[in-house]
């Protein structure tokens, strides 16, 4: 297997509308840390697969299609889901990507993938999975355990060539009041790992199934210092995982040697239509609940009550069916699933529960249907459920489809 990595800058001019928060006080006013597109490519001598991760709030289907055409190979385009980047048309149910970002992100993907292909060389892969403490927790349940899974793919060419980290935590450390462009938590993890591993080792960080996971109950602040602290926690855990032998995924192979399953590359996509959500939530009651919480002065209760109200207001009307793609790939002994939108962590765990084969699940891939809660979550009036465009059971359908596609491959 040959693997390469490449990046391309994604500049954001001052005055750009920012995505992620409906109550942001205005457009961008400067740069906290640069945005980019990072691409990793795998080639087995006959087929090539590319994963590109863009520092944007979401990837709509029109952008994913344009980027795949520009890449010239099978491509998954994932959003890091930073809430401190440009607005790219992130509305529940998906929508058109506004210019100039449809063109700019596409061109950055083209550049990053081309650089990755040019950098391809024989490599071996190793998978790691471990628990990550103190960074992410269920954001709607104060006091929930602050433990999430952390997936790490190490790429070796004798020494360590690079790492792909999949972190199922919302990159929302910086607040709505922030108007400085930043990759937020994803950028902090990248920077911390580069300091730890050295400039010769490439680092790519993707966001996993983070629909219900964030730093809301683990962060100690909402500034650059807190980003660095959390980034170092993730980097420390990655270093601990890399100290173990890990699970071999594929072997290195010189150019021109054909590879076949299970050491080759394959992928599959299935289109699904999700039924619309129905709600009996009363906006007046949610507004009254928010006002009562605010009167108590309890910041956690106030934030949760406000998020429920915002969730209901974010839902499109009238409800419509939503088309989505479920994507899977096999890269040697590694199984990948790319789910659209914001699946809850338990959805990804249902896909990844495949004994004997490392399975890594990414969220925010090739489309944005919005939140994908578990069926059980619909019994609770939480922001993610109230904002969801899809009916209960939709997330489980995506998980089962991904599992079946992987078995078919």
């Amino acid at each position: 297997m040959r693997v390469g990595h490449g990046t391309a800058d994604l500049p954001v001019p001052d005055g750009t509308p920012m995505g992620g928060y409906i109550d942001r006080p205005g457009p961008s006013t400067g740069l906290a840390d640069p945005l980019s597109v990072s691409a990793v490519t795998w080639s087995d001598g006959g087929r090539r697969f590319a994963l590109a991760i863009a520092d944007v709030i979401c990837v709509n289907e029109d952008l994913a299609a344009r980027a795949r055409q520009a890449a010239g190979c099978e491509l998954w385009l994932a959003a890091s889901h930073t809430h401190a980047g440009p607005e790219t048309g992130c509305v529940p149910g998906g929508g058109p990507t506004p210019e100039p970002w449809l063109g700019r992100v596409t061109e950055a993907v083209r550049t990053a993938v081309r650089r990755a292909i040019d950098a391809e060389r024989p490599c071996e892969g190793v998978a790691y999975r471990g628990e990550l403490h103190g960074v992410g927790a269920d954001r709607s349940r104060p006091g929930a355990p602050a433990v999430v899974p952390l997936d790490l793919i190490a790429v070796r060419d004798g020494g360590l060539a690079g790492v792909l980290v999949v972190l199922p935590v919302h990159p929302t450390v910086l607040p709505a009041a922030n108007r400085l462009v930043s990759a937020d938590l994803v950028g902090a993890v990248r920077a911390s790992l580069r300091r730890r591993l050295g400039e010769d080792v490439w680092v790519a960080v993707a966001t996993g199934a983070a629909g219900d996971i964030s730093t809301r109950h683990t962060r100690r602040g909402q500034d650059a210092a807190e980003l660095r602290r959390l980034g170092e926690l993730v980097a420390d855990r990655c270093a601990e995982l890399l100290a173990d032998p890990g699970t071999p995924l594929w072997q290195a192979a010189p150019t021109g040697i054909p590879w076949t399953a299970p050491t080759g590359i394959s992928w599959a996509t299935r289109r699904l239509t999700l039924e619309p959500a129905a709600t009996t939530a009363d906006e007046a009651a949610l507004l009254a609940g928010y006002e009562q919480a605010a009167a108590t002065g309890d910041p956690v209760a106030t934030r949760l009550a406000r998020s429920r109200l915002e969730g209901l207001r974010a839902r499109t009307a009238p409800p419509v069916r939503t088309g989505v793609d479920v994507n899977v790939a096999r890269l040697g002994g590694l199984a990948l699933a790319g789910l659209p939108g914001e699946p809850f962590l338990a959805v990804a765990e249902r896909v990844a529960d495949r004994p004997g084969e490392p399975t890594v699940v990414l969220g925010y891939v090739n489309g944005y249907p919005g939140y994908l809660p578990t069926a059980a979550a619909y019994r609770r009036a939480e922001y993610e459920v109230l904002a969801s465009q899809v009916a209960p059971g939709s997330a489980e359908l995506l998980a089962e489809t991904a599992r079946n596609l992987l078995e078919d491959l």
Side-chain angles (χ1 to χ4, degrees), residues 169-196:
V169 180
H170 254 74
T172 50
V173 176
L174 299 175
N178 169 65
R179 294 171 65 185
L180 297 178
V181 170
S182 170
D184 205 284
L185 182 61
V186 168
V189 172
R190 284 198 304 248
S192 294
L193 272 173
R194 285 171 182 156
R195 288 192 295 269
R196 178 68 59 86

Side-chain angles (χ1 to χ4, degrees), residues 17-22 56-63 79-83 85-98 101 170 314-316 341-342 364 367-371 383 387 389:
M18 299 174 71
Y21 294 112
I22 62 175
V56 294
I57 182 68
C58 77
V59 170
N60 285 315
E61 289 189 344
D62 58 348
L63 175 55
S80 71
H81 199 52
T82 176
H83 284 42
E87 173 56 60
T88 55
C90 189
V91 296
T97 303
W101 300 106
H170 254 74
R315 183 177 289 188
T316 53
E342 306 196 47
Y364 310 91
Y368 189 75
Y371 286 103
Y383 166 78
Q389 303 295 300

